[in-house]
Amino acid sequence: MIRAEYIRFLQTLIAESITPDVRKIANIVLQHLDTLIPLSTAQGQRIKRMVNLAQENWSSTSSDILLPSEQVAEQTCPITQLKRLSVGPFRGFAKQEDFDLASELVLIYGPNGTGKTSFCEALEFGLLGNVAEAESKRFRNQGDYLKNAYTNSFMPPTLVGLDSQGNDILIIRNEALYRFCFVEKNRIDNFSRIAAQAPAKQTELISTLFGLDAFTEFVRNFTDTMDSKYIDLEGVKAKELVKKQEALAGHHQQLKTTIPEEIQNIEKEEKELAQEYRKGCTFPQMVDELNGTTDKTGLIKQLDDELQKQLPQKSNLTIVNLEHQKQSIETGIGKLKAKQEELSKASQQISFKQLYHAVKQLKESSPEQCPACQTPLDQVRVNPFDHADAELKKLEHLSHLQESVKTLEGDIATSLNRLSAMIKICCSRNHEKNPLSAIQISDEKAATIDWWNNLLQNLDDGSTSFKHLEDQVKQLEDADKVIETATTKRSEKQAELNRLREFAKKIVKLETRRETANGTKKKAEEAIAQFDTENAQLITDAEEEKIIVAQNQAIANAYAAFVQELENHKNGLPAQLVADLGETVVQLYNAFNRNDGEHEKLVNIRLPLSQNQRLEISLKKDPDKYFDALHILSEGHIRCVGLAILTAKNIKENCPILIFDDPVNAIDDEHRQSIRETLFADDYFSGKQLIIAIHGEEFFNRTHQIIGKEAAKKAHSYLFSPKEDHHIRVNSLKRPKNYVLAARELYDTSEYRDSLMSARRALESLLDKTWYHYGRYCDKSDSLISVSRRSPDQPWDLRCLAENLKSKFNKSKADIPNKDQIVRSITDVLGTDAKQPPWLYLNKGTHDETDLPEFDQRTVSQIVSALEQLDVALKVQEAQ
């Protein structure tokens, strides 16, 4: 498919507006098409290979487009239909199978997996020379896809057709002639799924439908341009020489202006920095003072050494705080003694308080009598519980007094602990023979009032521990002041050191700039002196390289133009494929949806032909308003649109054959009946050979009914069964599937019961046709057909329908084709009574009963003949 479409693209390059170089690129791509197809844009695979091929073949490739002879010749189909197919080994066919296709209708039936697709692919390869599914599954060698996996062999199928004179001719594979003969379910599936994709993807609807996905992907994998990333367009040597020459020019510029200006600026900034440091100071003096010399340490080092020395840590103890703690302790102890004395005086009241609390607690266990004497409460002089509540209220001041005692004890403990912490600090700062060490409390012990009293006792030296504490706190407080002064001076030194370091940084920058300027000056002088000697060979190489670069530029320009032409061709394909199809697509779509309401049928359709266009439709209820088809149509209707486009193209191209792979999978249940009627009852495809592979048995059976007895007799039907010995089992239809034909054949072999069973089925099918026939040709004033049912989920009564049709035909005011023959046939089948032959025979032949009397041969013959006549009478085309 890719090669065939690419060759069609080559025909567009014959125009005079296309340059010879573009044709060269196109020919190179054609010569190496199999190599390029699997390569994508990932990591530049395609463009890198394209560069190599163009450079290797540029001088040897012709600039004339040379097309295969069959592409140049006028394309006219040499056949009217297929006659024979020999296939195998090929895909599911392990050995050769021969098919007789000499009929206007060929039906292939088999469950999924029995080889129908292999049969259709054999036709595809025999007519087109390739199989699209092999390309979509990325088989570089189609033979690997087409060979039988078990025999590991492949033989190209042989196809024989009939020409316009009826002569047998061997069909030569020609993709251009036969590509529109195929309707594939996968393409219709993909077409319907695009409705769920992004709008930009919808422009690929037509390409997807006609199997151009692989070609579209092939075109996409061409990078738009060959830039210098993939091909040398300037010359490596030339660029190197120019770069070096630019560097040499830079050297001259540096020696003339850049470096002198830079040194002058450095000297100016050095003077300014020295003056900022100290008035009258020079830059070298400033450097020596700050950084030092071999004989003298610099100011920065001196200050840094001083700041490295650590200052003692402050104790943060003060006499004021000590006196505050002392006063707090003494005041607290005084208050605590007063409260405790007060509590001591109220000791009797405390006992009564405890008693009253105990009485209250006994109320729950003895609510009706005195808890002490067990006297009922209604007999006591004073209720003990009420008395306890009253007395407890009088003693509430005792609770407050107890709480005060607890609070005072807590406050005193806090102050004592703070005082203990001060003693610990004093001991830590003065280790040797410290008199406070004797009263220092360990971490796990708490300070007590007794401990406090000991602090105030006279020692052997005539002083107290508290007096020693005061002396040491005073000493530490004085030491903290000295540390504070030193800290302030240290901050001043740190600020000065920071200031000097900023000067040092600026000195380093200026010195670095001077070194860089001097180094650049030296390099420039050396480069100028050595350039001609060092680059003699490079100059020669750059001159020789010009020829290659000129060719690369021609290749790159031609490639970009080629890709644009190829992209334009790809984008123009949808317009080419569906040109002038709109009216036929609408007719076929409406035929596929003949059972929809009139307001739901199409008036017009706009197919997406270019970027950002949508598939749009207008409906009969509002013909001037267009809708996005993918937005308002169901998936089943979208499939019908796809099928309508493919079959419309088949009609427009006057293809003698329509090959349909599995319409049961391609179309939903709702539309299958209408599809059958469009294919077999309408005249859209009259004169074409229809080859249809089906996996649905009912579709297969109904097809034999709708085409009628005569067409079913002429049709070729094959039954595919599950594989045996890894080979597709092919059987011809042994008994007609058409019910009228089956009834006649069974009658002729005296199988009257089975003949009647087929006759009953034939009548059911023919009455449906009769109903459609009446609906098409009756007068508008004629009565409607009415039927009865036993329940909503049951079919209508067959005899009732037959009687109703017979009555309506008789009473119709219209000149209905073959009306008399239809009425006679129905009359012969109905008989005089439902309990008498022939109607009794139709029921008895269908159902199994024991001890049935033998069927009368003449009555069975009457039924079969009547059905044959009815089948003939309904041959008028019915286009619903």
Side-chain angles (χ1 to χ4, degrees), residues 192-221:
S192 66
R193 278 196 292 268
I194 288 182
Q197 300 183 20
K201 188 77 173 174
Q202 294 177 12
T203 58
E204 301 176 12
L205 277 170
I206 303 304
S207 296
T208 298
L209 194 58
F210 284 98
L212 294 174
D213 306 66
F215 180 74
T216 299
E217 186 67 17
F218 168 72
V219 175
R220 279 200 188 122
N221 282 314

Side-chain angles (χ1 to χ4, degrees), residues 153-205:
S153 58
F154 158 65
M155 182 69 69
T158 301
L159 269 176
V160 174
L162 296 177
D163 62 14
S164 57
Q165 284 76 40
N167 300 316
D168 290 5
I169 60 170
L170 185 65
I171 294 176
I172 299 173
R173 296 188 287 270
N174 190 316
E175 194 268 353
L177 279 179
Y178 304 115
R179 62 180 176 146
F180 299 117
C181 292
F182 292 87
V183 175
E184 295 188 14
K185 63 177 183 300
N186 290 340
R187 297 180 186 176
I188 296 175
D189 288 343
N190 293 337
F191 180 83
S192 66
R193 278 196 292 268
I194 288 182
Q197 300 183 20
K201 188 77 173 174
Q202 294 177 12
T203 58
E204 301 176 12
L205 277 170

Side-chain angles (χ1 to χ4, degrees), residues 564-809:
Q564 187 59 55
E565 291 293 332
L566 185 59
E567 186 73 20
N568 292 341
H569 176 76
K570 181 203 71 165
N571 293 338
L573 282 176
Q576 296 176 26
L577 290 169
V578 299
D580 303 325
L581 291 186
E583 184 178 349
T584 308
V585 170
V586 169
Q587 292 174 357
L588 288 170
Y589 175 87
N590 289 339
F592 296 154
N593 293 277
R594 64 187 67 208
N595 295 321
D596 289 355
E598 283 298 310
H599 64 285
E600 295 180 299
K601 293 182 180 178
L602 302 189
V603 173
N604 203 355
I605 186 168
R606 292 175 180 168
L607 301 172
L609 306 181
S610 62
Q611 191 72 23
N612 297 323
Q613 285 189 344
R614 304 258 183 121
L615 177 63
E616 295 181 322
I617 58 172
S618 64
L619 305 175
K620 288 188 176 182
K621 66 178 179 180
D622 194 355
D624 296 326
K625 184 175 182 180
Y626 282 84
F627 300 91
D628 184 342
L630 302 184
H631 181 66
I632 69 168
L633 294 182
S634 67
E635 182 177 341
H637 286 89
I638 292 295
R639 288 172 179 265
C640 288
V641 172
L643 178 58
I645 294 172
L646 288 175
T647 50
K649 187 66 175 177
N650 179 277
I651 293 170
K652 182 178 182 298
E653 296 295 326
N654 293 318
C655 297
I657 312 161
L658 176 64
I659 300 169
F660 200 159
D661 181 10
D662 208 345
V664 176
N665 276 338
I667 302 299
D668 56 25
D669 293 336
E670 181 183 347
H671 294 94
R672 287 174 189 164
Q673 175 63 26
S674 298
I675 298 293
R676 283 193 295 268
E677 292 179 9
T678 305
L679 290 173
F680 306 116
D682 298 346
D683 59 0
Y684 294 108
F685 303 98
S686 60
K688 290 182 185 290
Q689 183 183 29
L690 302 182
I691 301 177
I692 302 178
I694 307 165
H695 94 270
E697 184 180 10
E698 285 308 308
F699 193 99
F700 183 68
N701 290 339
R702 295 309 303 168
T703 298
H704 280 84
Q705 312 316 315
I706 199 170
I707 61 178
K709 175 173 67 72
E710 293 302 318
K713 188 184 298 183
K714 297 175 183 177
H716 286 345
S717 295
Y718 293 94
L719 305 178
F720 284 14
S721 303
K723 295 177 183 177
E724 187 177 72
D725 298 329
H726 310 303
H727 176 70
I728 296 171
R729 296 168 58 190
V730 181
N731 298 293
S732 296
L733 194 64
K734 294 182 173 61
R735 173 160 289 167
K737 287 292 181 179
N738 178 272
Y739 299 139
V740 177
L741 281 179
R744 170 54 67 186
E745 182 174 302
L746 289 165
Y747 173 80
D748 290 342
T749 57
S750 300
E751 298 176 72
Y752 300 139
R753 169 186 274 278
D754 289 343
S755 175
L756 289 170
M757 179 178 63
S758 294
R760 170 80 180 212
R761 294 175 177 176
L763 179 61
E764 291 171 348
S765 174
L766 291 173
L767 286 183
D768 285 348
K769 285 187 178 183
T770 306
W771 196 339
Y772 282 118
H773 192 74
Y774 176 80
R776 175 168 176 76
Y777 295 107
C778 69
D779 191 271
K780 290 183 179 180
S781 61
D782 286 345
S783 301
L784 299 177
I785 302 295
S786 61
V787 293
S788 59
R789 290 180 175 178
R790 291 182 177 85
S791 64
D793 59 341
Q794 295 294 317
W796 46 69
D797 183 83
L798 186 62
R799 183 175 181 89
C800 177
L801 175 60
E803 293 280 10
N804 205 296
L805 285 170
K806 173 184 172 183
S807 172
K808 295 300 187 293
F809 269 83

Side-chain angles (χ1 to χ4, degrees), residues 134-146:
E135 287 184 354
S136 68
K137 292 181 178 177
R138 301 188 181 279
F139 278 82
R140 294 187 64 181
N141 182 355
Q142 289 220 353
D144 292 337
Y145 175 79
L146 300 176

Side-chain angles (χ1 to χ4, degrees), residues 87-100:
V87 56
F90 179 96
R91 295 284 283 143
F93 295 96
K95 57 187 178 182
Q96 181 173 319
E97 287 284 349
D98 296 319
F99 292 88
D100 182 1

Side-chain angles (χ1 to χ4, degrees), residues 769-770 772-779 809 812-824 869-878:
K769 285 187 178 183
T770 306
Y772 282 118
H773 192 74
Y774 176 80
R776 175 168 176 76
Y777 295 107
C778 69
D779 191 271
F809 269 83
S812 176
K813 302 173 185 177
D815 185 16
I816 300 177
N818 300 328
K819 179 170 74 172
D820 295 339
Q821 180 61 53
I822 292 171
V823 172
R824 281 197 301 274
Q869 292 167 11
L870 181 58
D871 180 72
V872 172
L874 293 173
K875 274 303 160 187
V876 177
Q877 291 296 325
E878 300 169 351

Side-chain angles (χ1 to χ4, degrees), residues 17 121 194 256 281 373 454 643 649 698 760 821 841:
S17 60
E121 287 178 340
I194 288 182
K256 184 178 180 181
C281 184
C373 63
N454 288 335
L643 178 58
K649 187 66 175 177
E698 285 308 308
R760 170 80 180 212
Q821 180 61 53
Y841 274 30

